[in-house]
Structure formats: structure tokens, C-alpha cells
Amino acid sequence: MRAEVWAPEAETVELVVGPDAREVRALTRADGGWWHDDRELPHGTDYAFRLDGGPARPDPRSAWQPAGVHGPSRVFDTAAFAWTDDGWAGVDVRGRVLYELHVGTFTPEGTLDAAAQRLEELVELGVDVVELLPIAPFDGDRGWGYDGVGLYAVHEAYGGPAALQRFVDAAHAHGLGVCLDVVHNHLGPVGAYVGDFGPYWTDAHHTPWGAAINLDQPGSREVRAWIVGSALRWLRDFHVDALRLDAVHELKDESVPHLLAELSDAVATLADALGRPLSLVAETDLNDPVSLAPTADGGWGMTAQWADDVHHAIHALVTGERHGYYVDFGTPATLRHALTRVFVHDGGHSTFRGRAWGRPVPPGTDGHRFVVSVQNHDQVGNRALGDRPAQRLPSGALAGEAALVLLSPFTPMLFMGEEWGTRRPFPFFTSYAEPDLADAVRAGRAAEFSGHGWRELYDGEVQVPDPQDPATRNAAVLDRDERTRGEHAVLHDWYRTLVALRRSVPDLASGDLSATDLTWDGPETADGPWHGVLVLHRGRARVVVNLDDDERTVALDPTVEPHAPGTRQHGEGSAGAPLMLAARWGEVRAVPGGLVVAGRSVAVLVPAAEA
């Protein structure tokens, strides 16, 4: 590697080589604020840059930070790895089953290599794409990863860049795609030295984390190239299949084209060159289909985007929670709106925001362009205790939620451990070394949950886990022994069955929103958890979810006939199998004109020829 760095305001730039700074070289100024050195730095060489005689700083494009965010960079030769995935044709995320995974808690070891040893479990579940939470370097060894400071490197505690290459290669060998969660909207509070090099931030815009990343002010051309270059590098040099772009609504860019459109076009060009699909998935709070519109039409050109309203509609209905942003959710009519039109707030008033919000999804939009879930790192981890739904809901309710998401017209995503109803929490945790910052995080976390109905939800004073305590991270490590015990094992089998049905039944695999509907038998509103029966219509298929504690009779058309061979059964008390009954949770029996469904039970019905 030949050292080069963008430092437009520096008078001198020196290259510091070796862990003991045994060699210092003056770099040569080039056009556009760039500085360079003509000599090669071999793989494994430690180096840093010194600006105007100041302290040595890591490379803004560092590929490897083995000594942490404050230490020198190390040269990493991405071409040295012996890939074995020459036959990998790639995967488009639309309509696939995604699995969100936090490397640091997926296994007790908390490394990419340890996670790779568990990939066969995901294959057996039916997962198509593994989505890794951010792996950029951050201060300390424990954290969610959303406070990373290096867009080009891999957190050393996870194994560094070589471990990511091994993980992706292993995933492809198992037939799994890999999606990397990347954060471009801000940098963490510790170790973000890029501001020493140039105008990476701007006060012209602000975000929840302070000054915005500079995307449209003087110097922004190189900042944008820094971001786009990092994205292309993961897709090209690390063979990653997709990127999930964190909170893109905080990318403050008033220029044309928008950064996301520029990124989308660059990724499309790379996909053509590589001969395999590459996907960009945006997390956005805007409820605006501009994210999916083609760049030629002024859109951002994303492959897909997260649709949190679907989560909110299911969660509020099943749990009865109405605090915070759940205030406008919780009725079956709202759930129907989410399942058929995606955005609940699509131009109408948002009570939580206090104003009109969103725009409608255009008719004919493929439902697979929206990623939905009933659990993810945000919706679990941003609860006061990081508690999972399984800690509060009966297994029948969990089974119903799973059916609504996995058999929906969207792209479903599971959060690690959800598939067996883990009761291990996923609280927010950090490992900052600076005492003042650690105290500020503790205080801020406690203050965040002092209101918004959390005290009522938890029936008393909320004791937020200390983010800095190692025990908080340890509590989040998955307990795989749960998978083989009692209702956990039954739920795990249920998830496998739902995924298999999604793959094998065309009506359940479809992303056609116009062929989706929801009917119900029960109250229109509820002060707490809703009690009644939902029927999700997916073309000719039906998904019946009884959220009542009591047995309910459900009229269905076409008629359900008994004694279908090979019917899958789950839960206690499973009875005889109707012809069109493909899967069930709990006791279900056919009666003339419909079904009798036990309390907290689920039935999946498909056309007779596909049963």
C-alpha cells in the first residue's frame, strides 16, 4: 500500500511508520488537498499521520486498528485472502428471510469466527441472508457498534478484517448471503479523529449526535467519496452482498444528487462489473417512498427499506402497549393498514410527532421492498430493560406474531434468538474508558426512561441496567440450551415450518400488496392487549391467528375439508388435520364452513393442491 491522505488545511503531513514511530517521512502535497508517499508499505505495517507536527492520528481510511481507535493503523492486504466462493452467484435481499445478528453476543466468544461456526443453525432454520450489526471499530471491547469511528475497518475484538473475510466466505459456502449494517450518519464520541484532517463535519446541519457529516458544504466532495468508497470496498473486497444503511434520514444533504442516489448508482455499476446482485437497504423514519424511487426519477434508488410501522402495528395490538410512538397503533384496522399499505403514517397526523407525516406507497409497489420484523435490535434494545417479547407474552402470542411477519407480503427479518423465544434480554451496553463519558451515558440512559410510560409498563420504578457493567453485556449473550427445552423447542420448529411454507407456497411467497388483506372478529379498539381473531388473506391462502384466550369459531371460504395427509402440527393438543391445513399452533379442528381454533392458536391454510 502507498500511503495517501486528504488533509486540505494542513501545512505539513508526515507519515509515522512502526509501532515505536521509528521512521518519520514527509509526505508530498498533491492536487485537491491530498498528500502521498511513493514507497510501498507491506501488509502488517503500522503507520499513522502527523499533521503540522501534532499527535499521530490513524488513517481516516484505515483497514485495521489492532490497538484500538487511538492506536496506529495497520496495512491490510485484502487480496491476500484465498476465497473459495467463486461459484457464489449472489443474492437479492428482496423477499428473502433475513437474520439480524450482533457478533458480540451471538456466541459467548463474541467473535466472527465463533459466529461462523453457528451458520449451519441458520441454514436449518431457512435463513437466506445474515445481517451483521455494525462491526466498525469503537472505543472499548463491548458495545452495539453504532458508535464506530472507522468506516473502512473491522472491530479488533470481533477478529479484525481477516475474520470478516473468513465469515463471508463461510456464509457463502453455506448458501447464505451477508448484509453489513453500516453507519454513515455520525461517528462515535471517542476516537473520531477524521475532523483533524478536514471538514468531515458541518454546523450547517445538525443531528441527534451534534454537527452533521458534511455532505453538501465546502469540502463535501471528498467526504462523500470517503463514504461511497467504504461501501464499495465492503461489497467488492469483502464479497458482502448487501448493506443496511443506518438512519439515513440523518444524512443531511441538500445537494443534487443526494448522497444515497450517488451511492446507489455507484453500487449498481459495481454489481454490473461483478456480475452479481448487490443490495442497499435503508433504515429511514421518513415514511417516504422517495427511498425506493429510481435515481433517474429523483429518488434514492434503494433496493429496500425498513418499515417500522408494521412492527408497531403488530406489537401494540398483541401487547397493548401505547406509550411513546405506539400511541397511534393497537387496533386491527391499523394493522390492516400496515399490512396492505405499509406506512400507517402516510400523510396523516402523527400524534407522537405532533404533525402530518409520511407519504403513501404508490400502488403496484412490490411488498418485498420493505423489511419488517417483530423483533430487532432497536425495538428490543431501546426498551428500558432490553426485555424480549418472550419475557411477557405467552408462546401462542409469539407464534401468532411470527406467522404475521413470516407470511406477510414483505421481506421478513428475525432477530437472533427470536426463533426459539429467547428470554435473554438485549439491553444497551458500552465499555467507554473515559469516566466522564461513561457517567454521562449512565445518566442519559436513566433519564431517557424516566417518562414515556415506562414506569407504568414495568409496574414500578425502572432500574435501567448500567451500560458500562460487563454483566449487562453478558446478560445479552444467547443461551442456546433454551432451544432444546419445552416450548422453546416447539417454537423453534414452528419458525422452521413457517419459513418452509413461505418458500414452497406461491401465495405466501408473493409480495403483491393488492392480494393481501386482513379481516377480524373482535373489538375495534382496546385499552390493553387486543382479544379476537385475525385472518390474514394472502391470495388464496389464509393465516388465522386467535389472540383470544378462548376457543373461537372462524368462518372460512373456501370450505376447509378434514383429513389432509402430512399436516404439520405444533403446540400442545394438536388434533386432526383438515385438507387445506398446512400448519398449526395449538388445537385446530375443521367444522362445516370453517375452523374451531383454540385460544392462542394459529392455523395456516393453503390451496388444496399445495397442502
Side-chain angles (χ1 to χ4, degrees):
M1 182 196 86
R2 293 188 178 183
E4 60 178 0
V5 68
W6 182 61
E9 298 170 2
E11 295 295 328
T12 63
V13 179
E14 295 171 308
L15 176 68
V16 180
V17 181
D20 54 358
R22 63 179 178 269
E23 184 179 358
V24 178
R25 307 175 187 171
L27 298 189
T28 302
R29 187 193 297 268
D31 293 338
W34 282 86
W35 300 76
H36 66 87
D37 183 72
D38 292 334
R39 287 164 288 187
E40 290 287 337
L41 295 179
H43 175 82
T45 302
D46 287 344
Y47 72 101
F49 297 109
R50 184 181 294 161
L51 308 177
D52 296 330
R57 297 302 193 201
D59 187 351
R61 287 174 166 77
S62 172
W64 195 0
Q65 287 296 126
V69 297
H70 302 296
S73 302
R74 182 171 292 173
V75 177
F76 182 76
D77 182 3
T78 58
F81 183 71
W83 291 94
T84 66
D85 66 349
D86 289 346
W88 178 249
V91 58
D92 188 317
V93 302
R94 288 174 289 191
R96 304 289 187 159
V97 176
L98 278 57
Y99 188 94
E100 192 181 39
L101 179 161
H102 176 258
V103 174
T105 54
F106 185 62
T107 66
E109 299 88 348
T111 66
L112 286 158
D113 286 331
Q117 297 302 311
R118 298 290 185 176
L119 291 175
E120 186 60 39
E121 299 172 4
L122 306 187
V123 174
E124 293 173 356
L125 179 61
V127 168
D128 298 301
V129 179
V130 181
E131 181 173 314
L132 299 177
L133 266 66
I135 59 174
F138 56 85
D139 187 40
D141 58 355
R142 306 179 309 277
W144 280 17
Y146 290 92
D147 53 355
V149 296
L151 270 58
Y152 287 68
V154 178
H155 191 51
E156 188 66 12
Y158 295 164
L164 178 60
Q165 289 182 315
R166 292 191 294 269
F167 181 89
V168 174
D169 200 46
H172 290 171
H174 283 86
L176 296 169
V178 176
C179 176
L180 192 60
D181 192 340
V182 293
V183 182
H184 298 150
N185 51 51
H186 76 289
L187 298 176
V190 179
Y193 295 115
V194 295
D196 292 356
F197 290 85
Y200 282 83
W201 285 284
T202 175
D203 287 324
H205 307 291
H206 291 273
T207 74
W209 308 282
I213 297 292
N214 179 18
L215 302 178
D216 59 6
Q217 301 300 307
S220 62
R221 176 180 177 182
E222 293 295 349
V223 178
R224 294 165 71 100
W226 172 68
I227 292 174
V228 172
S230 71
L232 297 179
R233 179 174 172 276
W234 297 126
L235 300 167
R236 180 188 62 241
D237 298 341
F238 288 80
H239 295 202
V240 167
D241 301 282
L243 300 176
R244 182 262 188 187
L245 310 176
D246 180 66
V248 299
H249 48 276
E250 298 298 347
L251 292 169
K252 307 298 187 180
D253 184 10
E254 297 180 358
S255 62
V256 178
H258 190 282
L259 172 71
L260 293 176
E262 180 181 343
L263 174 60
S264 177
D265 287 343
V267 168
T269 299
L270 179 61
D272 288 342
L274 296 178
R276 59 182 175 92
L278 301 173
S279 301
L280 293 174
V281 181
E283 183 209 10
T284 169
D285 186 44
L286 300 178
N287 282 19
D288 191 334
V290 67
S291 62
L292 305 178
T295 59
D297 297 336
W300 297 345
M302 298 288 103
T303 311
Q305 76 147 84
W306 277 30
D308 281 344
D309 281 8
V310 176
H311 165 272
H312 301 346
I314 295 174
H315 182 85
L317 186 83
V318 175
T319 67
E321 293 181 11
R322 301 291 188 276
H323 64 286
Y325 46 65
Y326 295 131
V327 63
D328 287 331
F329 298 85
T331 69
T334 302
L335 177 58
R336 179 180 185 271
H337 192 124
L339 291 172
T340 59
R341 295 165 61 182
V342 191
F343 299 149
V344 171
H345 295 122
D346 56 4
H349 183 76
S350 166
T351 304
F352 178 67
R353 299 177 180 89
R355 58 192 178 103
W357 197 257
R359 293 173 54 210
V361 171
T365 302
D366 183 4
H368 289 164
R369 301 195 73 180
F370 301 94
V371 176
V372 304
S373 64
V374 288
Q375 293 187 45
N376 60 51
H377 74 278
D378 274 332
Q379 303 305 336
V380 175
N382 285 332
R383 297 173 67 82
L385 304 181
D387 47 308
R388 297 276 197 146
Q391 294 172 256
R392 295 178 170 271
L393 296 177
S395 57
L398 299 176
E401 287 188 332
L404 290 172
V405 165
L406 282 168
L407 304 182
S408 73
F410 307 117
T411 293
M413 185 181 73
L414 311 179
F415 183 43
M416 61 178 196
E418 169 191 338
E419 68 270 26
W420 67 79
T422 184
R423 294 188 173 93
R424 300 301 295 267
F426 189 74
F428 180 72
F429 53 90
T430 56
S431 55
Y432 294 127
E434 298 178 8
D436 290 347
L437 179 58
D439 289 342
V441 170
R442 290 189 186 99
R445 194 71 177 168
E448 181 179 354
F449 297 105
S450 61
H452 297 298
W454 292 104
R455 186 175 301 177
E456 293 77 11
L457 174 65
Y458 291 117
D459 298 322
E461 202 68 34
V462 179
Q463 297 295 324
V464 179
D466 180 359
Q468 286 286 117
D469 188 343
T472 303
R473 174 266 175 188
N474 294 342
V477 176
L478 291 182
D479 175 10
R480 283 185 168 74
D481 289 341
E482 285 181 323
R483 294 190 314 151
T484 60
R485 296 197 298 258
E487 289 184 341
H488 293 293
V490 179
L491 187 64
H492 192 232
D493 190 41
W494 175 247
Y495 267 78
R496 283 200 302 262
T497 294
L498 294 177
V499 174
L501 284 171
R502 181 182 179 88
R503 284 183 166 178
S504 61
V505 178
D507 282 342
L508 297 177
S510 169
D512 186 355
L513 295 174
S514 67
T516 301
D517 200 2
L518 184 77
T519 56
W520 59 90
D521 180 10
E524 295 301 314
T525 62
D527 292 333
W530 187 80
H531 293 280
V533 177
L534 304 170
V535 180
L536 174 62
H537 301 241
R538 296 282 284 118
R540 296 169 296 163
R542 301 288 184 270
V543 182
V544 179
V545 179
N546 185 5
L547 294 176
D548 204 343
D549 294 325
D550 299 324
E551 178 180 274
R552 301 288 293 265
T553 299
V554 182
L556 291 172
D557 183 26
T559 302
V560 180
E561 299 181 8
H563 310 307
T567 299
R568 304 174 175 110
Q569 303 178 23
H570 298 273
E572 297 180 359
S574 295
L579 178 63
M580 298 181 69
L581 187 62
R584 66 173 127 198
W585 177 280
E587 184 176 349
V588 178
R589 66 180 186 274
V591 295
L595 290 177
V596 174
V597 184
R600 301 292 181 180
S601 293
V602 185
V604 182
L605 301 107
V606 302
E610 300 171 4

